[in-house]
Amino acid sequence: MRALWFKRPVLILGAIVILFYLGLIVKSGHETAVGTVTDPDAGRIIKRFSDLEEGINKLYNVMQDFGQKQDAMQKMLADGKTRARTPPENKSTPDEKHKVFPDSALFKKWGDNLSEDDQKEAQALFEKYGYNVFLSDRLPLDRALPETRDSRCVNSVNKSYPKDLPSIGVVLIYLNEALSVIKRALRSIIDRTPKNLLKEIIMVDDNSSNENLQGDLDLYVKSLEQENPTISFIRVRHSEQRGLSYARASGWRAATADVVAILDAHIEVQVMWAEPLLTQIKANRTVVVSPVFDRVNFDDLEVINYVASAQAFDWALWCMYESFMPEYYKLKDDSLPGKSPSVMGIFAADRKFLGEIGVLDEGMKVYGGENVELGIRVWTCGGSVEVVPCSRIAHIERSHKPYLPDLSIAMKRNALRVAEIWMDEYKHNVNLAWNLPFENHGIDIGNITERKHLRERLNCKPFKWYLENVYPKLDSWDNLLAYGGMKNLDANMCLDQGPVPGHTPIAYNCYYYGPQFTYYRANGELYIGGIKSHKYNDNRCLTDTGSKETEPGLFNCKEAMQKGMGINWDFTQGKELKNKQTKRCLEITKGQLLIQECSGQRWEIQHIIKASVWPTGS
Ligand SMILES: *[C@@H]1O[C@H](CO)[C@@H](O)[C@H](O)[C@H]1NC(C)=O
Ligand SMILES: *[C@@H]1O[C@H](CO)[C@@H](O)[C@H](O)[C@H]1NC(C)=O
Ligand SMILES: *[C@@H]1O[C@H](CO)[C@@H](O)[C@H](O)[C@H]1NC(C)=O
Ligand SMILES: *[C@@H]1O[C@H](CO)[C@@H](O)[C@H](O)[C@H]1NC(C)=O
Ligand SMILES: *[C@@H]1O[C@H](CO)[C@@H](O)[C@H](O)[C@H]1NC(C)=O
Ligand SMILES: *[C@@H]1O[C@H](CO)[C@@H](O)[C@H](O)[C@H]1NC(C)=O
Ligand SMILES: [Mn+2]
């Protein structure tokens, strides 16, 4: 049993997985959006997410009213988790032995009939790009996409769009994207955007090294220019890699149309993608809109319908999907735009309005945080963000990102930058989410003078307003007293969440990673193994389960409370940890974590949040 625990820190560190180039991230580790369990490997998380989407779709179609939809969303998250943990089926077809890469994600369900040479070629391309370039190269550039829109979007009786819509400029950002994928994006935009609306296509190359993104792409763009004399094709090339924010902003600078749509290059737009977005912006120039991204599988490139959801984030500023606010579902019309706390990297906005509010924070590095920054800025500085279900863009979800081994470094730095500029007294929550010290995180976030001035000049509302009015689902964590590893000073061991799934915390040698992170709240709750960013996710509370039991428990707080278990603890730094209800203490005897009569064992928690609000003890 013990040997198992030894490897955990490494697994947790390895468990951060990115699903979208620009946005959707499912993070695992001490805080996860979809459950309480830590996932040790990337593949399972990706599988979990695809299960999860299928789950959403199935449930969504049968559910009618809002309440059920909310429950369904929760259930589907839980189900996705459970199913993701079941090992893949043992397919022992005769073809199996011809698989050159039996462990490659590319060949899990695709490529059974390929020759060995083709498999090798496909695998090499897959490793380089993170999606199936071999197949992309063989599919028509103008392939048809399945209809994924609500029938009310399609039927002009139910919805019609004004004739005099603003013009649109499309910005495509790319870095070492496959040529056929970019071509298909261009083809779809040209074929599926009304000619009278599409003013320009701006292609921003963030210093790709692929040779065919120069000569071959140039030739293709030339042919498009000849075919489409009314559209301007603008090329922007960076002589060094500048990261997402800068790349998007340089696309914006090159634009002249009324509205800019900033897209990834691994997309195909659906018919009538632009009209619903432009209609919203025409009605109110301060709204920033996002289409719904249908998923294109990285292996077979099939398009999977995505349910429209809000684009949200946690306190580490990883992006995630979430249900809309309850009012949305009361309207019972899935074709209506829904308010969203943030965007996920693909959005459209009035070009001038975006400029007035500061486009994007170009002090961001590489990747991460920029979407959340935009969301908070738009909302607090006078605009709003909406997801528009009638606008659909099919987007390839890569299996892996080819160009950067660990995005979490840039992500953390950018998140702290957003916190410092925008989050006022809540900025410390970002430190907490990244398990950094409460006050001085010691990470260089760059020069924020200009962005601070922007916030003042625009007279933006406080972050507290945003939390209360736009994103009340985010738990403000305002009654936390202490966090970090919790060490028993007498036994010299730490509190650890123990086997997962499971309900028994253990004593273990201190290593201070996810499974040993604890959070102590002013109401006496003590969480082990993580804290949830969202109010709809329950934390796991240390519990005294009953008078005879000597093993402590670790249960969802609400469940434990309903069962009358003791989940509130008295604790003062360097003193005993005593259950308020049973007056028994958490102690360690012979390496065993036990609930017993208090003998005065002392505990110490890593970070204290505010000495001034620290209780005087019992
Ligand atoms: C699964 O496959 C492995 C090797 O391919 C084989 O040894 C094993 O017996 C199979 N298991 C089942 C349940 O078929
Ligand atoms: C492989 O199978 C797919 C469908 O399963 C088919 O479309 C394709 O033509 C086949 N390729 C070869 C080389 O047989
Ligand atoms: C669309 O409009 C038609 C005609 O008014 C109506 O019969 C139909 O129920 C509407 N469809 C939806 C999904 O509202
Ligand atoms: C990428 O950067 C290198 C050196 O910084 C430069 O020589 C090269 O021209 C750049 N490539 C593009 C496509 O701009
Ligand atoms: C546009 O949206 C903003 C932000 O939601 C709102 O304050 C404003 O009143 C709206 N303007 C119009 C003309 O509807
Ligand atoms: C930060 O930027 C501001 C204005 O952009 C500049 O005046 C200031 O000198 C910069 N600070 C540092 C430390 O570079
Ligand atoms: Mn992407």
Side-chain angles (χ1 to χ4, degrees):
M1 210 55 213
R2 274 292 156 86
L4 253 175
W5 301 111
F6 183 68
K7 284 190 176 160
R8 298 185 116 235
V10 184
L11 294 177
I12 299 304
L13 284 178
I16 292 170
V17 173
I18 320 297
L19 292 181
F20 280 11
Y21 177 23
L22 297 179
L24 170 61
I25 290 164
V26 171
K27 179 181 67 84
S28 185
H30 72 283
E31 212 280 334
T32 135
V34 293
T36 50
V37 193
T38 49
D39 282 272
D41 74 70
R44 273 195 297 185
I45 295 174
I46 287 167
K47 175 157 184 343
R48 177 181 80 200
F49 216 79
S50 67
D51 284 351
L52 185 151
E53 276 162 35
E54 281 160 31
I56 296 194
N57 295 344
K58 281 188 200 129
L59 283 162
Y60 208 85
N61 289 338
V62 293
M63 298 294 173
Q64 294 292 309
D65 69 85
F66 149 66
Q68 280 173 318
K69 265 179 198 161
Q70 284 244 317
D71 292 350
M73 185 84 76
Q74 298 299 332
K75 182 168 183 306
M76 143 306 271
L77 292 169
D79 281 353
K81 190 87 194 183
T82 320
R83 268 180 292 146
R85 305 189 72 85
T86 352
E89 276 169 38
N90 210 356
K91 273 199 291 178
S92 43
T93 56
D95 292 349
E96 197 81 359
K97 54 177 162 301
H98 299 301
K99 276 198 177 177
V100 187
F101 307 98
D103 299 326
S104 166
L106 179 62
F107 293 102
K108 283 280 173 289
K109 61 180 164 118
W110 175 85
D112 276 353
N113 57 2
L114 290 190
S115 73
E116 291 201 2
D117 282 351
D118 283 351
Q119 286 182 53
K120 286 178 188 158
E121 189 189 337
Q123 176 66 15
L125 287 165
F126 174 64
E127 280 168 18
K128 183 168 173 193
Y129 292 99
Y131 48 70
N132 194 342
V133 178
F134 182 91
L135 177 59
S136 172
D137 290 348
R138 286 158 179 77
L139 290 177
L141 294 181
D142 62 350
R143 69 166 178 163
L145 299 181
E147 179 60 74
T148 56
R149 296 170 298 167
D150 187 280
S151 59
R152 279 164 289 209
C153 304
V154 181
N155 186 344
S156 61
V157 178
N158 307 80
K159 207 170 275 300
S160 65
Y161 301 106
K163 289 247 150 46
D164 54 340
L165 286 168
S167 66
I168 187 166
V170 178
V171 176
L172 288 180
I173 310 285
Y174 58 94
L175 171 59
N176 291 337
E177 206 81 68
L179 179 62
S180 61
V181 164
I182 299 186
K183 283 182 175 177
R184 193 170 292 109
L186 289 165
R187 189 74 259 166
S188 75
I189 291 162
I190 290 165
D191 292 349
R192 296 175 186 150
T193 315
K195 287 277 176 294
N196 62 320
L197 299 181
L198 183 58
K199 184 170 184 197
E200 62 212 357
I201 298 179
I202 297 152
M203 303 172 67
V204 182
D205 184 339
D206 197 16
N207 200 254
S208 299
S209 50
N210 293 5
E211 299 214 332
N212 66 5
L213 291 186
Q214 316 218 348
D216 293 352
L217 186 56
D218 291 348
L219 281 179
Y220 185 67
V221 173
K222 280 223 171 62
S223 74
L224 291 178
E225 275 174 338
Q226 277 159 14
E227 175 196 301
N228 303 280
T230 61
I231 304 170
S232 318
F233 291 83
I234 301 166
R235 309 291 293 275
V236 178
R237 287 201 180 98
H238 296 161
S239 56
E240 58 177 329
Q241 193 186 322
R242 301 299 297 265
L244 275 178
S245 274
Y246 185 91
R248 289 181 187 152
S250 63
W252 173 84
R253 276 190 284 273
T256 60
D258 301 328
V259 166
V260 281
I262 299 187
L263 312 181
D264 289 7
H266 42 266
I267 54 103
E268 290 152 81
V269 298
Q270 173 71 278
V271 286
M272 298 262 288
W273 74 284
E275 292 90 326
L277 300 178
L278 294 172
T279 300
Q280 293 306 109
I281 294 169
K282 182 180 158 71
N284 189 331
R285 70 186 286 271
T286 71
V287 66
V288 171
V289 287
S290 170
V292 172
F293 325 131
D294 290 317
R295 186 184 82 221
V296 178
N297 294 333
F298 65 81
D299 49 0
D300 59 14
L301 302 182
E302 276 177 23
V303 178
I304 311 292
N305 184 354
Y306 239 99
V307 167
S309 319
Q311 301 175 1
F313 56 91
D314 65 11
W315 280 115
L317 307 199
W318 294 109
C319 297
M320 63 192 49
Y321 285 124
E322 204 171 80
S323 53
F324 291 119
M325 297 280 271
E327 300 80 60
Y328 177 82
Y329 299 99
K330 287 188 187 138
L331 301 171
K332 297 184 199 258
D333 182 350
D334 298 343
S335 71
L336 293 176
K339 300 288 181 200
S340 178
S342 183
V343 295
M344 281 198 186
I346 289 180
F347 63 90
D350 181 279
R351 181 175 57 84
K352 287 184 183 144
F353 173 70
L354 193 58
E356 285 160 24
I357 62 159
V359 195
L360 287 162
D361 181 354
E362 293 175 57
M364 296 288 200
K365 285 196 173 149
V366 191
Y367 170 95
E370 67 284 325
N371 296 324
V372 175
E373 192 271 346
L374 179 64
I376 297 170
R377 179 157 45 87
V378 167
W379 275 110
T380 58
C381 308
S384 62
V385 181
E386 285 177 357
V387 171
V388 182
C390 290
S391 173
R392 295 269 165 172
I393 290 186
H395 167 268
I396 303 179
E397 281 181 25
R398 287 181 207 254
S399 152
H400 56 272
K401 283 197 193 312
Y403 50 85
L404 206 96
D406 186 3
L407 289 167
S408 67
I409 295 164
M411 180 66 213
K412 187 197 297 186
R413 180 257 183 210
N414 289 346
L416 293 166
R417 182 177 167 92
V418 176
E420 194 61 41
I421 299 169
W422 294 100
M423 292 190 174
D424 309 322
E425 69 269 31
Y426 297 92
K427 67 183 181 187
H428 305 288
N429 287 355
V430 177
N431 299 24
L432 249 87
W434 286 96
N435 202 45
L436 297 165
F438 193 71
E439 289 293 346
N440 296 312
H441 53 65
I443 291 169
D444 180 8
I445 58 168
N447 188 338
I448 61 168
T449 312
E450 210 184 307
R451 298 305 281 185
K452 282 274 210 189
H453 283 164
L454 173 79
R455 190 180 175 201
E456 278 167 35
R457 187 161 38 105
L458 295 174
N459 200 14
C460 306
K461 296 190 182 83
F463 191 70
K464 188 176 168 56
W465 175 88
Y466 176 83
L467 274 184
E468 287 170 356
N469 295 280
V470 179
Y471 202 5
K473 290 176 184 178
L474 200 60
D475 184 342
S476 61
W477 287 356
D478 48 13
N479 58 353
L480 272 179
L481 296 181
Y483 66 104
M486 186 139 187
K487 182 178 180 179
N488 184 304
L489 296 176
D490 297 292
N492 201 24
M493 291 175 91
C494 273
L495 203 48
D496 188 298
Q497 68 176 354
V500 170
H503 295 287
T504 313
I506 59 169
Y508 195 69
N509 293 336
C510 297
Y511 56 75
Y512 301 113
Y513 282 111
Q516 293 193 345
F517 290 158
T518 66
Y519 301 82
Y520 184 54
R521 267 193 142 139
N523 63 5
E525 288 176 359
L526 181 70
Y527 315 139
I528 309 175
I531 181 168
K532 298 296 195 280
S533 287
H534 299 98
K535 293 175 187 166
Y536 53 79
N537 281 329
D538 206 0
N539 285 294
R540 301 227 302 160
C541 270
L542 174 70
T543 57
D544 181 347
T545 57
S547 57
K548 291 200 197 83
E549 282 298 324
T550 55
E551 273 191 345
L554 193 53
F555 291 93
N556 285 345
C557 306
K558 282 181 196 129
E559 181 192 344
M561 205 147 65
Q562 275 159 12
K563 290 185 176 161
M565 299 173 176
I567 60 168
N568 305 108
W569 301 81
D570 279 322
F571 172 62
T572 310
Q573 186 76 318
K575 300 268 172 61
E576 64 190 8
L577 182 53
K578 187 183 201 172
N579 193 277
K580 284 186 199 240
Q581 193 171 322
T582 64
K583 306 291 175 201
R584 303 193 303 174
C585 282
L586 188 77
E587 301 197 336
I588 299 176
T589 304
K590 297 189 185 125
Q592 293 283 104
L593 191 66
L594 296 172
I595 302 263
Q596 57 191 21
E597 291 310 310
C598 301
S599 74
Q601 280 188 12
R602 299 158 306 143
W603 293 87
E604 189 176 82
I605 196 162
Q606 227 176 338
H607 307 292
I608 288 177
I609 291 177
K610 276 181 215 136
S612 58
V613 298
W614 194 247
T616 49
S618 52

